[in-house]
Each structure stands twice: as structure tokens, then as C-alpha cells.
Amino acid sequence: VTFSPLRPSYIVKPDGNLMDRGRFERLVGRYKDRIYTFAFYFLGNREDAEDATQEVLVKIWEKGDTADSNHIDGWIAKVTRNICIDMERRRRRWKSEAWEVAQCPDPETELMGSEVQERVRRAILGLPGNMREVVILRDIQGLPYREICDMLGISLSQLKVSLYRARKRLKELLEPFYL
């Protein structure tokens, strides 16, 4: 990392372009928790969520200065989603021992959450990808419907149907524990 002598608040990126250091720090401060939360619920474990968060932050570093400021929320969410999908594909393709380890609750989760939270997390992890996405984005991260529609490229009615089906499936998955 080198600082521009002519513009001290800017950092020269490896490609030679300048990145506004203050803007980058604000973006990281504002979005890192949201990125991590989405990745954690989508991928199901802390280590993969941390890796995905790191990849997203690198993308923000590389391309964040070219993203439209008015749509940066959607851009970051879309990048996060795509990286999580890519990581899940790689994990499925290799089907290694790491997958079995990832299915075990990590110590931090056990300490942080109750048995109920763990069941809900596992149930969300058991949803198909599109259902999992809408539940994470709406019910966990609390994003507005319109933002989710823009991010996923679907209509409002499609979102509502997907969300209804996902919640119904979650209820079915969790019902045996709460009868």
C-alpha cells in the first residue's frame, strides 16, 4: 500500500488507480457486520463467513471506487451473495472432510446462542439457496423488500412468494421440536 504524495487521503492501488482511503474505511465500517452476518447464515460456519467477508472487502477495495454511490448497498450485497454462492459451489464440488467439520457447531456459536438459535440456524442452512437468501436478507438482516428485489433481480411478488415458502418450510423443519 502506498500513499499518493499529491493526495494524502488517497491510496495507490496495485492497478495504479487511486482509492479514497476515507471512503474505503467508511464502507468497511458500515458494511462489514452485514457482510459477515449474511455469509454466516448462508454458509453455516464462522470460518467460511470470515473468508467470504475478507473476499468481499477485497472486492470493495478493488472495485468500490467505481460502484455507484447511490446503489452501493445493493452492489455490496450482490457481491457478498455471489461470493457465498461461489464458496458453496467449491465446497460441494470438493466434498472434503472440511464439510463435515463445518456442519458441527463451533464453540463460539455454542457460547453465543441457545439450543433454539442453533436449531434455527441449522434449519436455515437446510433451506434451498434461494429460500435461504430471502430469509437471511429479510428476516435476519431486515433489508427492505425493494432492496432485496433489486439485489436478486426478482419482482416484489416473486420475493413475497419465496419468503412465504421459505418461512413455511422453516416452520415444517422446526415444528418437531416445538410441539
Side-chain angles (χ1 to χ4, degrees), residues 126-171:
L127 292 173
N130 60 336
M131 287 183 179
R132 191 174 345 145
E133 288 172 357
V134 296
V135 167
I136 293 168
L137 293 171
R138 179 64 189 161
D139 294 337
I140 295 173
Q141 293 193 327
L143 296 179
Y145 285 109
R146 186 54 43 209
E147 191 173 325
I148 297 169
C149 290
D150 292 344
M151 185 186 320
L152 301 179
I154 59 176
S155 70
L156 182 60
S157 60
Q158 287 173 309
L159 173 61
K160 288 181 177 181
V161 168
S162 293
L163 198 52
Y164 171 80
R165 290 177 179 163
R167 289 172 177 162
K168 183 179 176 184
R169 182 69 184 130
L170 275 176
K171 183 180 176 186

Side-chain angles (χ1 to χ4, degrees), residues 14-165:
D15 63 4
N17 290 323
L18 296 178
M19 167 58 114
D20 179 345
R21 188 169 99 183
R23 181 169 191 249
F24 176 72
E25 289 172 356
R26 284 189 304 278
L27 289 173
V28 169
R30 182 173 177 195
Y31 292 102
K32 69 179 177 194
D33 291 339
R34 187 185 291 185
I35 293 165
Y36 176 84
T37 301
F38 180 89
F40 178 77
Y41 279 95
F42 192 92
L43 298 168
N45 69 74
R46 188 186 56 185
E47 292 80 14
D48 285 348
E50 288 171 354
D51 289 346
T53 301
Q54 188 67 34
E55 284 190 46
V56 173
L57 295 178
V58 168
K59 286 286 187 206
I60 292 172
W61 171 255
E62 292 172 347
K63 307 278 186 203
D65 54 342
T66 60
D68 181 359
S69 296
N70 295 327
H71 302 291
I72 195 78
D73 292 355
W75 181 79
I76 290 174
K78 193 172 272 191
V79 168
T80 304
R81 174 180 176 257
N82 290 342
I83 286 174
C84 288
I85 289 170
D86 289 346
M87 288 180 75
E88 189 174 68
R89 282 183 189 141
R90 281 183 292 218
R91 184 168 60 189
R92 279 190 198 146
R93 187 172 47 233
W94 295 106
K95 292 206 180 206
S96 67
E97 187 178 308
W99 174 246
E100 293 169 20
V101 172
Q103 295 306 305
C104 299
D106 58 274
E108 184 176 308
T109 302
E110 289 179 2
L111 292 173
M112 283 184 357
S114 68
E115 188 177 315
V116 172
Q117 288 172 322
E118 183 61 22
R119 284 184 182 151
V120 170
R121 187 181 75 81
R122 286 181 178 271
I124 291 171
L125 199 55
L127 292 173
N130 60 336
M131 287 183 179
R132 191 174 345 145
E133 288 172 357
V134 296
V135 167
I136 293 168
L137 293 171
R138 179 64 189 161
D139 294 337
I140 295 173
Q141 293 193 327
L143 296 179
Y145 285 109
R146 186 54 43 209
E147 191 173 325
I148 297 169
C149 290
D150 292 344
M151 185 186 320
L152 301 179
I154 59 176
S155 70
L156 182 60
S157 60
Q158 287 173 309
L159 173 61
K160 288 181 177 181
V161 168
S162 293
L163 198 52
Y164 171 80
R165 290 177 179 163

